[in-house]
Every structure is written in structure tokens, then in C-alpha cells.
Amino acid sequence: GDSVTQMEGPVTLSEEAFLTINCTYTATGYPSLFWYVQYPGEGLQLLLKATKADDKGSNKGFEATYRKETTSFHLEKGSVQVSDSAVYFCALLNTGFQKLVFGTGTRLLVSP
Amino acid sequence: GAGVSQSPSNKVTEKGKDVELRCDPISGHTALYWYRQSLGQGLEFLIYFQGNSAPDKSGLPSDRFSAERTGGSVSTLTIQRTQQEDSAVYLCASSPELAAQETQYFGPGTRLLVL
């Protein structure tokens, strides 16, 4: 079945550092790919998405490119802030299967 | 506009009791989803509705779990004879329609603790 694999956390960075959180997927067909973020004490929020190969999703300085050849959707940000500290979830949604399949989540901790 | 709302926000119950969790989707959204977030299992899909019908109930963990949606809007997830392993955060999401490209918008969740 479909699955998503994310890098283990926590990822600990200093403010203004470059961030990469790796995400790879296994799926039949052509899924849509998502990054959701969960800030402390809050619910899941969509961060960005891409619905077809080579699309780049971007929001709040974060970006991720849908790479079909490597089945990846890595999340990047050029300069993180303390306020970016949260848990990040990579997910896919496949045509005909209406459930989001989530990775295990990666906790990001940014220190001043 | 208003987002997805869920009630109660927290629920503590005794093992063996029944609980009902409620979800109000975003107005006009035809698709509604239930997920569960627990320490051991991560985020897992439970069930989805297209309108009032639930074509796929395969994610429900046991026959103690059931869900319904009425009027194409509010949904209720019921857990009968709760067990300690049911303790988790139950998340509801909705989307404008049922399509792979559509974003699912999540509510704040109901935190269930079974003692």
C-alpha cells in the first residue's frame, strides 16, 4: 500500500539556519503531496502542497518540489525562526483513495 | 470564515463507557474525514463521508467504532465500550469535494482519555 517515510527527529537548529526535512513516498499512480504543520497545542494546518510532478509548493518561506523520479517531497527553508518550532508531517493523497497517508512527523526545534 | 470545529475539546471517560465525538465541517464542504492521532500509531485514517454516505469504513479499528453524518453537515463518531487503547486525539477534517487535489482542513481535535 501507499506509504510515506520522513526523517527522524528532533531536528535542532539555530535561528537563521537552513532547514531540510526529507520525505519520500511509495504510491501507485499520481498522488498529491502535502506538508502539514502542528504548532504546540494547536491542530494540523496545511503548510503547502503539490498536485503533480515538478510542481513546487511554497508558503511562509517554506518550499518543496514534487520529484517523481526520486519519489521525494523534501521540505526546505532558507532561514528558520524560533516561531517555526513545530512538528512537520509529510502526507500523500492518492486518486481513488480518499485518505491522507501521513509520515510519522518530524519535530523541529529552533533556538535563538 | 469559520473553520472545522469539534466538541468536546477534551473527554475523560471510564473504561467500558460509550462516548460521542462531534464534528462541524466548514460550510459547503461535501467531504468529511475522521483521523486518529496517537503516540503509538501516529496519524491514521478512520473513515470518510461523501455527503451522508461512507463508502469506506475499512479504517475503523473495530466494530465498537461507528460514525454517521446527517444533512450533509455534522458528523458524530461513536465509540462503544471504550478501552484504554482508544485514548488518542480524534481529528476531523473537511474538503470542498472528494478529489485527490483537494486540501483537507483539520479541526482542533478531541483529546480522549480512557481511564
Side-chain angles (χ1 to χ4, degrees), chain B residues 10-97:
Chain B
N10 290 280
K11 177 73 176 178
V12 181
T13 190
E14 293 179 349
K15 178 180 171 181
K17 301 282 190 183
D18 297 352
V19 295
E20 283 191 354
L21 312 180
R22 176 187 167 106
C23 172
D24 280 275
I26 294 172
S27 178
H29 281 195
T30 62
L32 184 148
Y33 314 81
W34 284 98
Y35 294 85
R36 180 168 73 171
Q37 185 175 23
S38 57
L39 280 176
Q41 302 297 324
L43 274 157
E44 54 179 337
F45 167 80
L46 298 179
I47 190 170
Y48 80 88
F49 289 88
Q50 171 61 21
N52 290 334
S53 66
D56 181 6
K57 300 181 180 180
S58 63
L60 295 176
S62 77
D63 59 7
R64 297 185 294 104
F65 287 72
S66 63
E68 64 175 14
R69 189 180 186 194
T70 55
S73 181
V74 172
S75 176
T76 303
L77 177 69
T78 301
I79 310 173
Q80 296 179 308
R81 305 181 302 283
T82 52
Q83 304 294 311
Q84 288 181 332
E85 62 262 28
D86 299 334
S87 296
V89 178
Y90 289 82
L91 297 170
C92 177
S94 69
S95 64
E97 54 183 77

Side-chain angles (χ1 to χ4, degrees), chain A residues 95-107:
Chain A
T95 306
F97 303 95
Q98 302 312 321
K99 60 179 182 179
L100 278 166
V101 176
F102 287 91
T104 52
T106 302
R107 182 175 300 276

Side-chain angles (χ1 to χ4, degrees), chain A residues 32 34 36 38 43-44 46 49 51 89 93-95 98-100 102, chain B residues 33 35 37 43 45 48 91 98-104 106-108:
Chain A
S32 295
F34 303 81
Y36 280 86
Q38 190 169 36
L44 278 172
L46 177 71
K49 72 177 186 182
T51 58
F89 293 91
L93 184 61
N94 213 340
T95 306
Q98 302 312 321
K99 60 179 182 179
L100 278 166
F102 287 91
Chain B
Y33 314 81
Y35 294 85
Q37 185 175 23
L43 274 157
F45 167 80
Y48 80 88
L91 297 170
L98 206 65
Q101 303 88 342
E102 290 290 351
T103 297
Q104 295 182 18
F106 283 80

